[in-house]
Amino acid sequence: MTLGVIGTKLGMTQIYDETGLCIPVTVVAVEKAVVTQVKTKETDGYEAIQVGVVSAKEKHLTKAQIGHFKKNNLENFRHLQEFRVEDASKFEVGQTISLEEVLANVQKVDVTGRSIGKGFQGTVKRHNFSRGPMGHGSKNHRAPGSIGAGTTPSRVVKGKRMAGNMGNEKVTVTKLTVAKVIADKNLLLIKGAIPGPEGKLVTVKPTRTKWN
């Protein structure tokens, strides 16, 4: 149950610390998040808030979404997302969630995004399989090999690693270090790489993983 921020991945750069050490960082532009709905145990069975980011035109929304925003006298948002919280009564519709409010004094974060799609790929690229011999008459270079026994169980077992669509999945990278927070520009600098292509939205939360 952790409140987080939603931002746009801008790309990677590097900064230097006090000792002159170069640190590779990913720059995330944190979007203005407005509370669009408050969910409580009495009304919905659980405690959560729904936030909206990125302004949108009506032509890009469904009638249900437009009605949802008009009912609460809010502007239209392209992206809606829920965050589970311990006590939703602390929030109200129309309230803005700031970067400092969520990540003040936070050292480690979990970043969730949709990984870059690679299309249909074979087993060598998708699952890091080894290649077959490249010479001496071998015809098994990047073939997948056997995918199961014949008579027993006479089927391909579920979960067998085979060729298929690679990437374009929801991915969370945990325990990333917050290198710098530029509050006046709503920029978050996270050490290392994060999921997804540039220009796409990512969710940043204080890490749930215990670290020493």
Side-chain angles (χ1 to χ4, degrees), residues 121-179:
Q121 299 297 336
T123 54
V124 174
K125 183 179 175 77
R126 191 183 187 207
H127 299 297
N128 200 28
F129 278 19
S130 297
R131 295 185 309 182
M134 296 307 289
H136 300 284
S138 170
K139 294 180 181 178
N140 173 27
H141 301 312
R142 297 174 72 94
S146 170
I147 59 170
T151 306
T152 306
S154 64
R155 63 186 177 86
V156 180
V157 295
K158 285 185 178 180
K160 181 67 182 172
R161 294 183 298 168
M162 298 174 70
N165 189 69
M166 181 181 177
N168 194 28
E169 296 177 323
K170 186 179 179 181
V171 177
T172 299
V173 180
T174 60
K175 292 195 293 185
L176 293 175
T177 303
V178 176

Side-chain angles (χ1 to χ4, degrees), residues 108-121:
K108 300 277 185 176
V109 291
D110 297 342
V111 181
T112 303
R114 187 159 283 276
S115 62
I116 297 172
K118 309 281 186 182
F120 189 96
Q121 299 297 336

Side-chain angles (χ1 to χ4, degrees), residues 172-204:
T172 299
V173 180
T174 60
K175 292 195 293 185
L176 293 175
T177 303
V178 176
K180 193 174 183 181
V181 176
I182 308 174
D184 56 331
K185 294 183 179 178
N186 282 334
L187 292 178
L188 186 62
L189 273 57
I190 300 170
K191 183 179 178 182
I194 65 173
E198 294 174 7
K200 294 296 181 181
L201 293 176
V202 293
T203 305
V204 183

Side-chain angles (χ1 to χ4, degrees), residues 84-105:
R84 290 285 191 106
V85 292
E86 291 182 3
D87 185 10
S89 62
K90 296 179 181 177
F91 302 90
E92 56 184 23
V93 174
Q95 179 182 339
T96 302
I97 307 295
S98 66
L99 173 60
E100 303 97 311
E101 184 183 342
V102 178
L103 297 179
N105 302 318

Side-chain angles (χ1 to χ4, degrees), residues 1 24-25 38 43-44 46 60 87 94 123 125 164 171 179 201 210:
M1 294 187 179
V25 294
V38 177
T43 57
D44 302 275
Y46 64 100
H60 294 139
D87 185 10
T123 54
K125 183 179 175 77
V171 177
L201 293 176
K210 290 184 179 180

